[in-house]
Amino acid sequence: MQEKIKPVSVKKKLGIASFSLLLAALLIAVISTYRVDHKEIHKSEAKVKCISCYELTLKGRPVLSFNTDTLNTAACWIDRWALIPSCRGHLLTVFDNSLVRHKYSSEEVKKLLKIHVDSLKNQIISLHNIVDDLRYYAHVHDVRDVGYGMIADYGIRKVRQYRKIEQELNTLNKVKKDSARLHIAYKVYFKVVYKNTKGDTIEENCHLVKTLPHHFLIIQTDLKKKPKGIISQPLPLARYIVLGTSKSIRDHIKWNERPDSAGVYIGELDHQFLPNGQGAHLDNDGSYYEGHWTDGKRNGFGFSVSRKKRLRIGEWKNNIYLGERLVYNSDRVYGIDISKYQHIKGRRRKHYYAIDWANLHITHLGDISKKAITGTVNYPLKFIFIKNTEGINVFNPYYYRDYRKAKAYGYHVGTYHFFSIHTSPAEQARFYLKRSRFEKGDLPPVLDVEPYPSQIRKMGGPKVLFSRVRTWLGIVQHYTGTRPILYINQIFVNKYLNSAPDIKRNYYIWIAHYGEYKPDIRLAFWQLCPDGRVQGIHGEVDINVFNGYEQEYQKFLQKATIR
């Protein structure tokens, strides 16, 4: 017998239709959820700082944190449940490192502390050299020099870093006596960085909520609130946003956000994401450069610090350091050095030229190299060095007259000796002292050392030369009570001076260097040209500049002149 099909009631049909419509609405809602525009995606993006460190505790109380490392990662504000607004400050991020909160045994604590203390001591040594260089820079420069403010700010940061490490070492020295109660744990902290409705950058502390596969993490702000103006996304879409943003960071911001083979760069970028304009770069080897960039290379004014080169300030071209270019004006402290050749020309001495001591002014800085000059060259003289002796029997017949006249017209005067490799340094020192004048307020005695490389080799090398130089310096210093100045040229500095670190460290340097850039060495005086012009003196004259302004020059006079 055939079974009859029961007709479906109208009420049941309406129920099925309503369920179908509801299901369709849900599907549309789900689809629409995953089809957000770019503005909404942008409002859901954030950045998370993952801060990892070792935390040292004594008797359960935190003492200090060290080996702190910060990694910036992409993040997205998320809802805990799909289709329902339920953010409450939750974010999805990705973090590659281990998040183990590991506590170490007492033996491991000792090893970790020793490694950290050794690291701090090495940092102190490196920072000491940098801070010392920066203090020296501050002594011989001021706000009139290009880039002074930038370098001064860097110096403040380095001094603070130096003091912080000193305090950390002091803390460790105090607590290591109680090592049995010391504990170290590896910890990770989080901060979310986002823009508020006013466009201000905000940072909030976060904590870990849950770990997901493939290095995904769910974190939550400590306030457990979603900021105003922020859009949160469902978890599946958030994964794509985080991965896409992370890839963008890896592929495009090579210099700006993360430590990699190029180091870390903070500053202006061009359309290819290369440094262009003003910026600072910290390399992985610890070297630092701050200044101007062009097409990813150091170009223009900047300064660099590294363990090998120490502080270098000045102009750069295609990553090559050229040197510091001085701007010459009437604010600087100028002087000259003279010999018998300011009075005579040629060996026969047919013509004698007197010096007009009452009207001396520098009128030209020479043509051997380019110079940055502001205003007209009409500079007064503050000091005069006079050559008097050479070897054990050569002397300047005009020395006494020039010495007396220069003193009478108010100049600070110094006397120098030309060193000979052919005679005894002790005899040379005695000859120099016998023939020269040394009065209160005079500039320090000067030893002019200019042997050729072939002569240095012939006499037995730099070691022999510096032994003889030390003999002369010691005798003259003992007699005058004043530490002499060493006059040398740039080639001698580059090739030999590092062989005598005691001389480089303990004696004032006066250098002959005729390039357009200031010598890359600590010095007292710089002979910047041999072809200058001085009103009141016939012919070409050696022009010198003191390494510093008037205030530092006065300090030099108080400290270094003959008493």
Side-chain angles (χ1 to χ4, degrees):
M1 183 177 177
Q2 189 177 359
E3 185 180 352
K4 292 182 179 181
I5 300 175
K6 295 180 180 180
V8 179
S9 67
V10 175
K11 185 182 282 189
K12 198 168 186 178
K13 285 182 178 179
L14 288 173
I16 293 171
S18 298
F19 178 76
S20 300
L21 287 172
L22 179 60
L23 183 60
L26 287 172
L27 287 172
I28 291 170
V30 171
I31 292 170
S32 63
T33 300
Y34 287 96
R35 293 183 63 187
V36 293
D37 60 27
H38 291 292
K39 290 183 179 178
E40 290 180 329
I41 289 177
H42 181 67
K43 288 183 179 180
S44 66
E45 292 175 348
K47 184 172 72 174
V48 168
K49 290 183 178 179
C50 300
I51 305 165
S52 59
C53 66
Y54 291 99
E55 187 177 85
L56 179 67
T57 59
L58 177 62
K59 301 177 184 178
R61 292 178 298 177
V63 176
L64 59 85
S65 300
F66 59 94
N67 283 12
T68 302
D69 188 24
T70 301
L71 178 66
N72 295 325
T73 66
C76 179
W77 298 93
I78 61 168
D79 289 312
R80 289 181 297 163
W81 301 296
L83 309 178
I84 301 176
S86 52
C87 178
R88 294 189 62 190
H90 284 82
L91 296 114
L92 182 73
T93 187
V94 62
F95 187 53
D96 292 334
N97 287 356
S98 170
L99 293 175
V100 177
R101 287 168 169 78
H102 178 66
K103 288 190 176 181
Y104 296 87
S105 66
S106 58
E107 287 302 315
E108 290 174 319
V109 167
K110 290 179 181 179
K111 289 180 181 178
L112 282 171
L113 282 181
K114 185 180 184 309
I115 292 170
H116 183 55
V117 168
D118 290 344
S119 173
L120 289 177
K121 288 179 178 178
N122 289 332
Q123 290 179 55
I124 279 285
I125 293 170
S126 178
L127 277 172
H128 177 79
N129 293 332
I130 293 171
V131 170
D132 191 43
D133 281 350
L134 288 165
R135 284 174 179 161
Y136 167 75
Y137 172 85
H139 282 312
V140 299
H141 295 77
D142 65 17
V143 293
R144 288 169 281 189
D145 292 303
V146 177
Y148 180 85
M150 176 177 65
I151 297 161
D153 288 343
Y154 177 78
I156 291 171
R157 297 199 303 270
K158 290 289 111 177
V159 170
R160 286 175 181 169
Q161 185 181 353
Y162 184 87
R163 288 174 180 170
K164 183 180 178 182
I165 293 175
E166 274 190 326
Q167 290 174 354
E168 194 169 330
L169 278 171
N170 290 335
T171 301
L172 289 171
N173 287 331
K174 289 177 182 178
V175 302
K176 69 180 182 181
K177 298 175 184 178
D178 202 359
S179 58
R181 299 188 183 185
L182 285 175
H183 299 282
I184 293 179
Y186 177 75
K187 293 191 175 182
V188 177
Y189 303 91
F190 299 94
K191 289 179 180 288
V192 61
V193 183
Y194 63 92
K195 297 281 187 180
N196 65 8
T197 53
K198 296 180 180 180
D200 301 324
T201 301
I202 305 296
E203 282 193 12
E204 281 193 43
N205 292 326
C206 299
H207 55 271
L208 180 65
V209 174
K210 188 177 182 181
T211 60
L212 301 176
H214 308 297
H215 304 291
F216 282 106
L217 310 176
I218 294 178
I219 62 174
Q220 186 179 22
T221 61
D222 289 354
L223 297 176
K224 298 182 180 181
K225 292 182 180 180
K226 181 175 76 170
K228 291 182 179 180
I230 295 298
I231 293 177
S232 52
Q233 306 290 354
L235 183 60
L237 181 57
R239 291 178 188 268
Y240 290 106
I241 293 173
V242 170
L243 288 175
T245 308
S246 299
K247 186 177 186 302
S248 174
I249 290 175
R250 286 195 299 270
D251 291 346
H252 299 298
I253 310 181
K254 294 180 181 178
W255 294 77
N256 203 25
E257 291 291 339
R258 63 191 179 89
D260 57 10
S261 59
V264 179
Y265 173 81
I266 300 174
E268 298 174 84
L269 302 171
D270 62 15
H271 65 283
Q272 295 179 329
F273 295 95
L274 291 173
N276 199 70
Q278 200 71 14
H281 178 235
L282 178 64
D283 209 332
N284 287 334
D285 63 1
S287 60
Y288 179 84
Y289 170 83
E290 185 174 345
H292 197 268
W293 300 76
T294 306
D295 300 327
K297 294 182 179 180
R298 292 169 287 185
N299 277 294
F301 181 85
F303 72 95
S304 172
V305 178
S306 68
R307 292 181 179 178
K308 293 182 179 179
K309 298 292 185 180
R310 299 182 72 170
L311 183 64
R312 293 188 295 174
I313 301 168
E315 294 186 15
W316 302 70
K317 186 174 182 180
N318 293 329
N319 282 335
I320 297 174
Y321 177 65
L322 301 178
E324 182 182 0
R325 185 197 298 270
L326 288 191
V327 177
Y328 298 97
N329 51 42
S330 57
D331 291 338
R332 297 200 176 275
V333 179
Y334 298 95
I336 58 174
D337 61 278
I338 61 175
S339 66
K340 66 181 181 181
Y341 295 110
Q342 269 61 54
H343 295 286
I344 59 173
K345 297 297 177 185
R347 293 184 179 179
R348 296 184 180 181
R349 306 181 186 180
K350 288 183 179 181
H351 301 286
Y352 172 80
Y353 301 97
I355 294 177
D356 184 4
W357 292 100
N359 297 291
L360 297 184
H361 269 78
I362 297 173
T363 58
H364 186 56
L365 296 180
D367 295 314
I368 285 181
S369 64
K370 297 178 182 179
K371 295 177 178 67
I373 299 171
T374 60
T376 303
V377 178
N378 186 26
Y379 306 145
L381 301 178
K382 295 291 183 71
F383 60 87
I384 297 174
F385 285 106
I386 306 172
K387 178 183 177 181
N388 184 25
T389 55
E390 180 176 340
I392 57 174
N393 52 22
V394 178
F395 62 92
N396 176 4
Y398 308 102
Y399 167 75
Y400 289 114
R401 184 188 309 170
D402 287 346
Y403 177 88
R404 285 298 175 199
K405 284 286 186 179
K407 296 266 290 185
Y409 280 90
Y411 297 109
H412 284 99
V413 182
T415 304
Y416 73 94
H417 171 84
F418 188 90
F419 190 73
S420 170
I421 64 168
H422 303 294
T423 53
S424 161
E427 290 183 46
Q428 291 187 63
R430 287 191 287 270
F431 178 63
Y432 166 74
L433 294 171
K434 180 180 179 181
R435 301 286 311 191
S436 303
R437 305 287 297 181
F438 306 101
E439 297 180 358
K440 182 178 180 180
D442 282 357
L443 296 173
V446 180
L447 179 62
D448 181 348
V449 181
E450 301 183 61
Y452 295 113
S454 58
Q455 292 176 314
I456 295 175
R457 288 194 300 270
K458 187 176 181 179
M459 69 186 299
K463 187 175 181 179
V464 174
L465 172 64
F466 283 119
S467 176
R468 297 183 184 182
V469 167
R470 286 187 188 93
T471 299
W472 190 98
L473 294 172
I475 293 172
V476 172
Q477 182 172 344
H478 178 76
Y479 179 85
T480 62
T482 304
R483 184 175 297 174
I485 294 172
L486 187 67
Y487 173 95
I488 48 182
N489 58 41
Q490 186 69 59
I491 295 174
F492 189 91
V493 169
N494 297 342
K495 201 165 185 178
Y496 303 113
L497 192 57
N498 286 333
S499 301
D502 58 319
I503 292 177
K504 184 178 180 180
R505 180 179 60 251
N506 297 327
Y507 289 90
Y508 294 110
I509 300 297
W510 173 17
I511 192 170
H513 177 77
Y514 305 142
E516 60 184 302
Y517 297 104
K518 181 179 175 181
D520 187 20
I521 187 177
R522 295 192 180 191
L523 68 156
F525 298 95
W526 173 21
Q527 188 183 87
L528 56 97
C529 75
D531 58 338
R533 293 284 181 176
V534 176
Q535 178 183 304
I537 299 180
H538 179 81
E540 296 179 337
V541 184
D542 296 340
I543 307 296
N544 298 271
V545 62
F546 175 76
N547 190 26
Y549 289 97
E550 181 65 29
Q551 184 177 1
E552 187 63 23
Y553 179 62
Q554 293 302 323
K555 290 180 182 177
F556 172 81
L557 295 177
Q558 293 174 8
K559 181 180 178 181
T561 52
I562 293 175
R563 298 290 172 229

